Amino acid sequence: MVYLQKYLLSIALGPVQDFVQAARRTRDLWFGSYLLSDVSKCVATSLVDDGATLIFPHKESLSGSQAVANKILAVFEGESVVRVLDRAHQAATTWLREKAQTAVQALQRELSSCRDVFDEALFFRQVDDFLEFYAAWVPMTGTYDRDRRRVEGILASRKMLRNFDPNEGARVPKSSLDGVRESVLRISTNDALIERALRRMGIRPGEALDAMGLIKRLSGQRPYPSVVRVAVDSWIQAGMSDERFRAQLGRVSETLERVLKEAPELDVVSSTRGRDGSEVYVPDHYKNFPYDGKALLEGFFEQEEFRQLQERYPSLADELKRVVTRLQEIRRRSPQPYLAVLMADGDRMGVQIDRMTTSDDHSNFSYRVSEFARRAQDVIVQHRGVPVYAGGDDVFAFLPIETCLRAADALRKLFEEEVASAAASDKPSLSVGIAIGYCREDLGYLRQLAQQAEHEAKEPDRNGLCVLVQTRSGGDPIRVRCRWDEDPVPRMERLAAWHQRSEIAHTTGYVLEQIGRLYGGAADEDIVAGELRRALSRRTVAGERRLADDVMDDITSLFRSRLLARQALQDGAATAALQDCASWLKLGHWLASHAEPEAWQNVEIRAGEEVDT
C-alpha cells in the first residue's frame, strides 16, 4: 500500500521590481506586470492539473482578467512533490519560450532578413536565464497556521541563497531599459528601411533592447495608451459637447493617421489601436481620439519630433500644425500636461493571514482578495483611467487629475466591501498614494513618485491617503497626507471648488505656511488658532471682499480636524496642523488651476458637514 503524504507548498517567482521598472513606455510597464502575472497563472494551473489545491491565489482568479501576484500557496497530496514542482517550473519556462518565439516571428515579419540585426542565440539564452523560481514545502501536521509559518520561513531562507549562474554575455551595448543584460539587436542606424520597420514596432533607432525588453515591445503587437493620452483626456472629453470641436478633432485624427502611415520612422505620434484596427486595454471613449496626444500639448511645435517632421515631410507638418492650432483655438487653450499615477496596497494583510487556522479560511480570504482585484480594474476604467496592474491587494494605474481622488475613494470602499468586511478584528485597510506629475517626465521618475506617495500614505498609522504634486518647474512638492476615516476626498474637492469660484485667494495657503514657519513648534494651540482666524479675515479675493463665512468655517474645521490627528502623534501639534492646512489649501488651488474649468462645478458645498477625527 502506497502512503500519500500531504504537503504545504509555497512558491515565489521573480524577478519583479527590477523587471517591471525596466520601462520607457507605458506598454513596457504594463506588459512587464502582465507577463509576470501570466507566468504565475501558468505555474498555478500546472499545480492544479497535478491535483494540488490552491490556497493563494484563488483558483477562480486563474481564468479571470485580473492579475495575480508572484506568490503561490497550495496543498498537495502525493508521493513526490519534487516532480510536481519540476513540471510547474517547466510549464512556466515553456510559456516564456512561446512568448519569445512570438516576438521573434514578429521581428521576422517586419524585417525581410533579421540575421544581421538580431542575435538569436543570445536572445534565447537570456530568455532561459530570466525566470527566478523558488519553492519550499513541508509535510502538513494538522496545524495549518504553524505549517504555513514554517514553510514561509524555509522559502525566505531559500530566496537568500540565490542562484549565481555564469553569465555568457558579449561585448555589445547593454539594454537601454535597465542596463543589466546585453542588447540582442545589432542595428545600423543609417538603414532607412530598417529604421521605418523598427518604428512600426515601437523601437527607436539606436535603442538597445535585451531579450525581455524585445518581448515587451513585440509580443502580440498590442498597444497601450501613453501617459500623455491620459493627461489630455479631460481636455478632449470637455470639448466633445461642442460640435465644432468634434469635427475639428476628426480632422486632427485624419492628419495624425497620415503621419503614422507616411512617417512611421519619426516619433511624432503613436496609436492606441491594435494592428487590426481595434482599441485594446483602454477605456471605451478613447476611440474618440486613439492617439497619444503629444501633438495637442502646448510647445509641441518647438519640439525635436516636429522639427524632424518639418525637415522630411514639410507639407504634412504644416497640415498638422494648422489643424491642431485650430482645435486649440476652439477650446481657447491647450490641455494641461499633468496626470495622476495611483498606487494602492493593503494594510495588515499579514496579520489577518496569521490568524487563519485552516487552509479553507485562507482560501476564502484569497477569493475575496481576488474579487477586489477583478473589480478594481473596472473602478479605474469607470474613472477614465488606465489600469496597469491589479492583483491581490495591489493596484497601479494612470488617471486624469479630475478623477483620481474619487477613484482612490472608490477603491478604498471596494476594499472595505470585499476584504475588510471578512475580518472580525484588526480589519485590513487600503492605503493609497497619488503622485501628480508632468506627463512627459521620465516614466521611471513618475513611478518613483507614486511609490513615495504610497509609502507616505502608510506612515505612521496606515489606512491613509497621500497626494503628492510635483510640478514641472521642480521645487518641493505639495504633499497632503491623512487617514481615510477623515473622509478627505469631499474636503479636497470642496477646497478646489472654493478656489475655482474665487472664494479663496490663491496665496492663502502660502500665508498660513509662513505663519507656521514663524512660530516653529513652540506655539500654543490657542495662539495658532487665533493667528489662523486673523489670517483668514485679512485674506481677500477679487473685489477686495472678505472670505465668506462658510469658507472660513470650512478652513477652520479643517484645522480642528488636523489638530486632533496631530495631537495623537507629536508635540508641536498646533503648528503642524497649521502647516497641514497650508498644504491642503495649496493642493486645492493647484487642482483648481490645472483641471478643466468644469471639473469642480458640480461639487456640492455644504458648510458644517466636515468630519473630525
Side-chain angles (χ1 to χ4, degrees):
M1 180 177 179
V2 179
Y3 174 71
L4 301 181
Q5 175 67 53
K6 184 179 288 188
Y7 296 93
L8 184 62
L9 317 177
S10 184
I11 300 173
L13 302 169
V16 181
Q17 292 296 334
D18 292 341
F19 174 64
V20 173
Q21 290 179 14
R24 275 190 172 180
R25 298 170 178 262
T26 51
R27 191 183 183 284
D28 296 341
L29 205 58
W30 163 76
F31 190 78
S33 300
Y34 160 81
L35 185 142
L36 288 176
S37 172
D38 271 20
V39 168
S40 296
K41 286 184 178 182
C42 184
V43 172
T45 300
S46 176
L47 293 176
V48 172
D49 291 343
D50 274 330
T53 302
L54 282 183
I55 298 175
F56 183 85
H58 195 272
K59 183 179 178 179
E60 290 191 12
S61 66
L62 301 184
S63 58
S65 61
Q66 76 271 26
V68 299
N70 66 317
K71 182 67 182 300
I72 298 169
L73 192 65
V75 174
F76 173 73
E77 187 174 5
E79 294 182 65
S80 175
V81 68
V82 176
R83 284 200 292 269
V84 171
L85 290 171
D86 284 344
R87 282 193 290 270
H89 190 186
Q90 185 59 44
T93 302
T94 301
W95 186 89
L96 275 175
R97 271 258 170 179
E98 291 172 355
K99 282 291 178 185
Q101 192 60 51
T102 301
V104 171
Q105 291 170 356
L107 193 64
Q108 290 172 337
R109 281 196 303 269
E110 292 293 338
L111 303 176
S112 57
S113 174
C114 66
R115 290 188 179 276
D116 295 334
V117 297
F118 172 64
D119 189 333
E120 188 169 348
L122 178 58
F123 176 87
F124 281 105
R125 200 158 63 235
Q126 290 182 355
V127 170
D128 292 339
D129 187 52
F130 168 73
L131 184 63
E132 297 174 1
F133 185 99
Y134 301 103
W137 60 95
V138 296
M140 297 191 72
T141 65
T143 308
Y144 174 75
D145 52 347
R146 184 173 63 189
D147 293 340
R148 189 192 63 80
R149 290 188 182 94
R150 186 181 173 208
V151 75
E152 297 296 4
I154 295 173
L155 181 65
S157 299
R158 172 63 184 91
K159 290 174 69 176
M160 295 296 290
L161 301 173
R162 297 185 181 275
N163 299 333
F164 292 97
D165 297 327
N167 176 32
E168 300 180 30
R171 294 180 178 273
V172 295
K174 294 287 188 178
S175 170
S176 301
L177 297 185
D178 59 7
V180 176
R181 296 177 179 86
E182 295 80 7
S183 172
V184 298
L185 296 176
R186 312 282 187 267
I187 298 171
S188 173
T189 57
N190 57 8
D191 190 321
L193 292 177
I194 291 180
E195 185 178 323
R196 288 172 68 91
L198 291 174
R199 282 291 190 188
R200 287 195 296 269
M201 293 183 286
I203 302 172
R204 296 178 181 178
E207 189 172 24
L209 294 176
D210 64 347
M212 302 311 298
L214 196 61
I215 290 173
K216 284 182 177 182
R217 294 290 171 85
L218 301 181
S219 293
Q221 285 290 288
R222 290 183 287 189
Y224 198 81
S226 73
V227 288
V228 181
R229 179 61 181 87
V230 178
V232 303
D233 186 65
S234 296
W235 186 82
I236 293 173
Q237 288 300 104
M240 293 304 288
S241 59
D242 187 333
E243 184 177 348
R244 296 177 305 152
F245 179 88
R246 293 198 302 272
Q248 189 63 25
L249 186 67
R251 298 184 187 101
V252 172
S253 296
E254 291 171 1
T255 306
L256 289 175
E257 193 65 31
R258 284 183 56 200
V259 173
L260 276 175
K261 292 178 180 178
E262 298 177 28
E265 73 277 12
L266 301 182
D267 192 22
V268 176
V269 62
S270 61
S271 175
T272 61
R273 278 200 299 254
R275 304 188 76 178
D276 59 355
S278 62
E279 280 87 11
V280 289
Y281 299 110
V282 296
D284 290 340
H285 68 271
Y286 270 42
K287 63 180 179 292
N288 296 328
F289 187 76
Y291 306 97
D292 60 25
K294 285 185 296 186
L296 305 181
L297 296 177
E298 185 177 3
F300 171 76
F301 300 117
E302 285 75 47
Q303 298 294 321
E304 181 62 26
E305 300 103 312
F306 184 73
R307 289 174 184 167
Q308 290 183 7
L309 185 67
Q310 279 184 314
E311 291 174 3
R312 301 190 190 186
Y313 306 89
S315 61
L316 188 56
D318 291 342
E319 174 66 13
L320 178 61
K321 186 173 183 178
R322 184 184 67 80
V323 294
V324 170
T325 300
R326 176 55 186 153
L327 185 71
Q328 293 170 341
E329 289 173 350
I330 293 174
R331 287 293 337 263
R332 299 183 180 179
R333 61 186 175 279
S334 301
Q336 288 289 346
Y338 288 92
L339 83 157
V341 186
L342 181 149
M343 283 190 175
D345 182 53
D347 308 316
R348 295 186 295 274
M349 298 292 283
V351 174
Q352 294 301 316
I353 293 173
D354 285 342
R355 290 180 173 177
M356 295 172 186
T357 57
T358 69
S359 59
D360 287 342
D361 290 342
H362 196 168
S363 180
N364 291 335
F365 187 72
S366 296
Y367 174 76
R368 286 179 170 270
V369 174
S370 172
E371 280 296 288
F372 165 74
R374 182 183 63 82
R375 295 177 61 188
Q377 295 181 113
D378 296 333
V379 168
I380 297 300
V381 172
Q382 288 164 7
H383 289 83
R384 307 205 325 268
V386 177
V388 178
Y389 177 81
D393 57 331
D394 294 322
V395 180
F396 177 25
F398 299 119
L399 290 144
I401 58 177
E402 291 91 344
T403 63
C404 65
L405 295 175
R406 293 193 179 186
D409 202 18
L411 287 173
R412 184 261 303 185
K413 292 174 181 176
L414 176 62
F415 188 86
E416 291 177 352
E417 174 189 340
E418 290 288 356
V419 181
S421 61
S425 60
D426 287 333
K427 291 182 179 294
S429 56
L430 189 74
S431 289
V432 183
I434 298 175
I436 298 176
Y438 178 53
C439 67
R440 301 210 66 182
E441 186 60 84
D442 178 75
L443 189 60
Y445 178 65
L446 291 175
R447 191 174 188 275
Q448 235 176 12
L449 286 176
Q451 287 177 317
Q452 180 183 343
E454 181 191 58
H455 175 75
E456 294 186 17
K458 289 180 171 291
E459 299 296 335
D461 49 1
R462 298 184 177 85
N463 190 31
L465 168 68
C466 177
V467 182
L468 190 153
V469 179
Q470 181 63 68
T471 61
R472 181 183 179 186
S473 58
D476 292 335
I478 300 172
R479 180 181 282 101
V480 168
R481 192 273 174 187
C482 57
R483 285 176 56 85
W484 280 114
D485 43 26
E486 297 178 57
D487 198 19
V489 169
R491 194 193 295 274
M492 290 177 180
E493 291 189 336
R494 199 160 55 241
L495 289 173
W498 290 131
H499 278 95
Q500 199 167 60
R501 301 174 192 184
S502 297
E503 295 289 347
I504 305 177
H506 72 277
T507 56
T508 304
Y510 296 92
V511 170
L512 298 184
E513 188 175 55
Q514 290 175 354
I515 294 173
R517 289 175 180 170
L518 177 65
Y519 279 97
D524 180 83
E525 173 186 333
D526 293 336
I527 294 175
V528 173
E531 288 289 353
L532 173 65
R533 287 192 297 272
R534 281 190 289 274
L536 295 179
S537 64
R538 287 197 304 267
R539 297 315 301 165
T540 57
V541 292
E544 295 299 320
R545 54 191 176 88
R546 65 185 295 275
L547 293 180
D549 290 339
D550 49 357
V551 180
M552 293 186 68
D553 291 343
D554 204 13
I555 299 174
T556 302
S557 175
L558 171 62
F559 172 74
R560 290 197 304 269
S561 175
R562 298 310 307 149
L563 181 62
L564 289 173
R566 287 289 188 175
Q567 283 174 338
L569 299 174
Q570 64 180 56
D571 295 330
T575 50
L578 189 65
Q579 293 283 17
D580 287 347
C581 281
S583 296
W584 282 67
L585 287 167
K586 287 161 65 177
L587 175 64
H589 172 254
W590 193 94
L591 291 174
S593 58
H594 288 81
E596 289 298 306
E598 303 85 1
W600 316 111
Q601 285 183 355
N602 296 324
V603 173
E604 188 173 359
I605 298 178
R606 297 179 183 176
E609 286 199 356
E610 294 75 13
V611 178
D612 291 338
T613 57

